[in-house]
Amino acid sequence: MKITRFIIDSALHNLTVEFSANENITSTQLSFEYLRISSDANSAKKNKAGQIQVTSHKKNVLLISIESVAKHGYRLIFDDEHSAIFSEEYLQTLALEYETRWQTYLSALKDSGHSREAMIDFKQL
């Protein structure tokens, strides 16, 4: 399957990814938070005690742009200054395994005592 289009919806905090296979087009919506916590750079970080660190406080993160990175995939750039390259295959995996991965993340957050909520609430004046 090939990615044919991305639609960034900042109001709903999600990214629609359209895939095409043969003549069939399917689309899936992935939340910015899910993409941010699923970036390869975060998936296997361990602290000094050898425990896996959980990325937290990303509920309100925004995806600000997507850049093509040739054959490697797409660089997703978030408003917290994090960026990561996602291959087409990895984006498909994230779509297909959403429920399992999301529940695993929520359980890990609960076990770590961290939260999805931002640590500081910024309000525009």
Side-chain angles (χ1 to χ4, degrees):
M1 292 180 37
K2 290 284 186 195
I3 294 175
T4 56
R5 181 165 70 154
F6 291 111
I7 303 170
I8 297 173
D9 187 340
S10 294
L12 295 176
H13 289 234
N14 68 37
L15 174 69
T16 300
V17 183
E18 286 187 359
F19 297 98
S20 70
N22 301 322
E23 293 185 20
N24 297 327
I25 295 178
T26 59
S27 66
T28 187
Q29 291 184 343
L30 303 172
S31 73
F32 296 161
E33 179 183 14
Y34 177 64
L35 291 166
R36 174 63 177 83
I37 61 99
S38 298
S39 67
D40 288 332
N42 291 315
S43 61
K45 279 187 183 177
K46 292 189 176 186
N47 63 18
K48 291 179 183 179
Q51 299 169 325
I52 294 178
Q53 292 180 316
V54 179
T55 302
S56 57
H57 309 293
K58 300 299 177 189
K59 184 176 181 179
N60 296 320
V61 72
L62 293 175
L63 177 63
I64 55 176
S65 69
I66 300 173
E67 300 172 349
S68 177
V69 188
K71 65 181 180 180
H72 303 290
Y74 302 92
R75 178 178 289 117
L76 278 59
I77 303 169
F78 298 90
D79 69 342
D80 65 350
E81 299 182 6
H82 176 77
S83 68
I85 297 174
F86 291 75
S87 68
E88 285 186 345
E89 294 80 19
Y90 188 55
L91 287 168
Q92 289 174 24
T93 299
L94 290 177
L96 292 172
E97 298 176 0
Y98 169 77
E99 289 296 328
T100 303
R101 288 174 177 259
W102 186 248
Q103 290 307 315
T104 299
Y105 169 68
L106 293 177
S107 295
L109 258 184
K110 184 178 180 183
D111 293 344
S112 71
H114 287 64
S115 169
R116 294 175 54 213
E117 301 298 327
M119 291 174 58
I120 300 173
D121 188 21
F122 291 98
K123 295 192 182 197
Q124 181 135 4
L125 299 176

